[in-house]
């Protein structure tokens, strides 16, 4: 069989641009695919951080895509360290601005996100319909920002085209836009049919069996409806999103496509997240040298001004501060957690109110609670390495990566049983301890008291010197690499191509 060609279209990719797990996956999955012999390449927008980190050459100039939207250029280069091809869309008016990929520095969504990501989707679909030199067999789209690509591709007149895969990393973000979208294309606010036409899509696409969503258009729904296959990032989340609670109104569509929907668990980049070689941490360590892990704790406590308390475990958290992550469950029991003799170290950014509430606690008791607001890659590694336990009380979690990073670092995860957390953390029940599978502590309900009980269970185990190292060892020896899942993606791609 000839080499499989895959274009991985994404709105973020580590180390070029990252706001969360999608960035990690967009680097690590194509890398793992390439190791399996797939010609996987990346497509992403030319944000300043991308343009600054890459050496790029022009492969296409003057691509006019939509009315009143500046023409863009397509550039090509190589991923740092990865040495695999990456395509970048150069459109200064769309992407060259300070702030994040989706929001300005104050946390407001960019008002023209619909256009910024319609452009990304359109270029992805042009690759998919073989209009450029690189002609992928598979167009692999990720989240709503690339959701229009399968629609553009489905309506393209191309004789040969890629099969499209839509991966859902988070159903909570859908990219829903109304008639105001017309203004972004230089037209007066008008009806949605006109908007759809401005995008170059047929009128018929604006229907329930298309991209229409409560009278507006949904980029994610477009991807879910028009793609040849849907994946999501854990088997449990694949089931979750077919229910009312997690489907955000799209559960019906997902249920009708359930025979073309699979959950493939994310892996982690085991080179970037390896306690033996991690260049961000002060003292490297391995499963045989766990005493050196404590050295990281001592140094981090010093750096953050926490009391050096050898008998108190350090409970870490690194997270986007959003509703999803269950911070509302944590906040009411912070005093109880501290009372139990646990120190809390949190790194996060997002919702300003959550930021303030957490910061207030840290001010009350800086010797026991450390809260760092902002995004800090180095500190994130240091917290994972230094902490004894890692908390993820998520209300929903498509996959979650930090619990896997933690287990690889001998840091025991405490999680709520949902989505990918349910699929990756094995609760320390007596049976699981006895059969050497236990890797963490799991609680069920969205309930602060249950969260606290979970911490209390973990605390008891922490003080049992016969038990804790066994839990650490179970996690540290587990294979969280991408190898298995990358093979599943290859098998999926091949099935799609054979069917076609
Ligand atoms: P999500 O994608 O929902 O945010 P994941 O667990 O899949 O959750 O991935 C989060 C990624 O983002 C991890 O690599 C985590 O270390 C990183 N991260 C989140 N917040 C921060 C932060 N404030 N500083 C540094 N890294 C962060
Ligand atoms: C999303 C999800 C997270 C997942 C990540 C990568 O941001 O919230 O659970 O791990 O995508 O797939």
């Amino acid at each position: 069989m000839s080499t499989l060609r895959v274009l991985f279209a994404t709105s973020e990719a580590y180390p070029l641009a990252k706001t969360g797990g999608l960035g990690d996956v967009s680097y690590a999955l194509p890398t793992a695919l390439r190791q399996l012999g797939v010609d996987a390449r990346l497509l992403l927008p030319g944000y300043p951080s991308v343009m600054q980190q890459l050496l790029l050459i022009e492969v296409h100039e003057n691509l006019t895509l939509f009315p009143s939207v500046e023409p863009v250029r397509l550039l090509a280069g190589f991923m740092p360290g990865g040495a695999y091809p990456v395509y970048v869309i150069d459109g200064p008016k769309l992407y060259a601005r300070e702030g994040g990929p989706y929001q300005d520095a104050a946390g407001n969504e960019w008002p023209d996100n619909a256009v910024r990501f319609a452009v990304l989707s359109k270029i992805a679909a042009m690759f998919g319909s073989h209009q450029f030199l690189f002609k992928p067999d598979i167009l692999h789209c990720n989240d709503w920002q690339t959701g229009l690509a399968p629609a553009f591709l489905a309506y393209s007149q191309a004789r040969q085209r890629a099969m499209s895969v839509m991966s859902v990393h988070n159903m909570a973000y859908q990219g829903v836009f109304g008639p105001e979208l017309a203004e972004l294309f230089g037209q007066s606010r008008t009806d949605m049919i006109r908007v759809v036409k401005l995008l170059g899509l047929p009128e018929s696409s604006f229907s329930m069996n298309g991209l229409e969503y409560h009278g507006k258009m949904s980029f994610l729904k477009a991807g879910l409806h028009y793609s040849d296959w849907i994946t999501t990032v854990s088997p449990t989340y694949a089931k979750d999103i077919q229910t009312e609670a997690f489907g955000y109104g799209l559960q019906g569509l997902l249920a009708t496509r359930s025979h073309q929907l699979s959950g493939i668990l994310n892996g982690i980049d085991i080179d970037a997240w390896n306690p033996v070689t991690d260049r961000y941490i002060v003292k490297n360590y391995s499963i045989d040298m766990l005493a050196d892990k404590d050295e990281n704790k001592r140094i981090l406590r010093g750096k953050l001004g926490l009391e050096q308390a050898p008998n108190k475990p350090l409970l870490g958290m690194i997270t986007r501060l959003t509703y999803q992550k269950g911070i509302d469950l944590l906040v009411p029991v912070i005093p109880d957690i501290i009372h139990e003799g646990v120190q809390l170290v949190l790194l996060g950014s997002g919702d300003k109110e959550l930021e303030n509430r957490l910061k207030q606690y840290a001010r009350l008791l800086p010797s026991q609670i450390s809260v760092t607001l902002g995004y800090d890659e180095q500190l994130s590694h240091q917290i994972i390495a230094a902490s004894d336990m890692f908390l993820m009380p998520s209300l929903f979690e498509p996959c979650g990566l930090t619990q896997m990073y933690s287990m690889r670092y001998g840091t025991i995860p405490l999680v709520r049983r949902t989505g990918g957390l349910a699929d990756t953390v094995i609760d320390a029940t007596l049976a699981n301890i006895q059969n050497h599978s236990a890797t963490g502590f799991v609680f069920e309900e969205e309930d602060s008291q249950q969260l606290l009980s979970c911490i209390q269970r973990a605390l008891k185990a922490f003080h049992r010197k016969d038990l804790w190292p066994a839990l650490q060892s179970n996690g540290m020896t587990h294979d969280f690499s991408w190898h298995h899942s990358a093979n599943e993606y290859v098998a999926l791609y091949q099935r799609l191509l054979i069917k076609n």
Side-chain angles (χ1 to χ4, degrees), residues 211-463:
L211 45 75
E212 187 263 345
Y213 183 76
H214 298 290
K216 298 185 172 185
M217 69 184 291
S218 159
F219 279 35
L220 182 63
K221 187 178 174 196
L224 298 178
H225 180 80
Y226 290 101
S227 57
D228 296 304
W229 196 272
I230 302 166
T231 70
T232 184
V233 288
S234 70
T236 296
Y237 195 61
K239 291 194 203 109
D240 289 346
I241 58 177
Q242 295 178 52
T243 66
E244 200 180 333
F246 298 99
Y248 294 88
L250 298 178
Q251 61 274 11
L253 164 59
L254 289 162
T256 57
R257 294 209 64 192
S258 61
H259 56 294
Q260 292 159 321
L261 162 65
S262 45
I264 302 180
L265 193 66
N266 282 336
I268 62 169
D269 181 336
I270 55 169
D271 296 323
W273 292 93
N274 181 356
V276 180
T277 54
D278 192 328
R279 62 198 162 89
Y280 289 129
I281 67 176
V282 184
K283 185 85 182 169
N284 289 112
Y285 61 94
S286 66
I287 190 166
D288 306 317
M289 292 291 271
L290 277 173
D292 287 344
K293 179 173 164 59
D294 282 343
E295 184 63 5
N296 288 289
K297 180 160 61 174
R298 197 184 59 75
I299 292 164
L300 187 72
R301 279 176 163 153
K303 174 173 164 173
L304 299 176
L306 290 167
E307 178 200 0
Q308 297 289 353
N311 285 326
K312 288 186 180 178
L314 193 58
L315 178 64
M317 231 181 145
I318 300 158
T319 183
R320 290 183 295 114
L321 294 173
T322 61
Y323 166 80
Q324 170 188 350
K325 300 295 179 178
I327 313 293
D328 289 327
L329 298 185
L330 167 70
V331 170
V333 287
I334 289 180
D336 306 81
I337 293 171
I338 303 304
H339 176 77
E340 292 286 341
V342 174
Q343 284 184 342
L344 187 62
V345 53
L346 185 141
L347 166 64
S349 66
D351 184 289
K352 297 294 163 213
E353 199 189 310
L354 289 176
E355 287 189 351
N356 288 338
R357 282 160 75 192
L358 291 165
K359 203 69 199 173
Q360 274 169 3
Y361 271 111
R363 281 199 205 99
L364 282 181
L365 207 55
S367 65
Q368 307 302 321
I369 305 174
S370 162
V371 171
T372 306
L373 300 179
Y375 187 90
D376 188 333
E377 191 73 29
Q378 176 172 36
L379 184 58
S380 75
H381 284 246
Q382 292 174 344
I383 290 176
I384 298 259
S387 299
D388 298 291
M389 307 167 184
F390 192 85
L391 183 61
M392 291 180 83
S394 307
L395 304 185
F396 65 94
E397 196 61 74
C399 181
L401 299 173
T402 41
Q403 81 279 14
M404 293 192 266
Y405 299 154
S406 296
M407 288 184 268
R408 187 151 163 77
Y409 280 66
T411 304
I412 306 298
L414 279 49
V415 305
R416 198 173 89 75
R417 195 189 301 282
T418 183
L421 299 175
D423 292 339
T424 53
V425 179
I426 300 172
D427 192 25
T429 60
L430 194 58
N432 290 338
I433 291 170
Q434 280 166 353
N435 67 25
H436 308 290
S437 62
T439 53
F441 294 85
V442 182
F443 67 101
E444 301 287 335
E445 304 297 330
E446 293 179 16
D447 177 86
S448 295
Q449 212 52 47
Q450 282 212 5
L451 187 160
L452 182 61
S453 306
C454 180
I455 292 178
Q456 287 163 338
R457 272 174 70 210
L459 193 56
K460 278 199 191 117
F462 175 74
H463 291 299

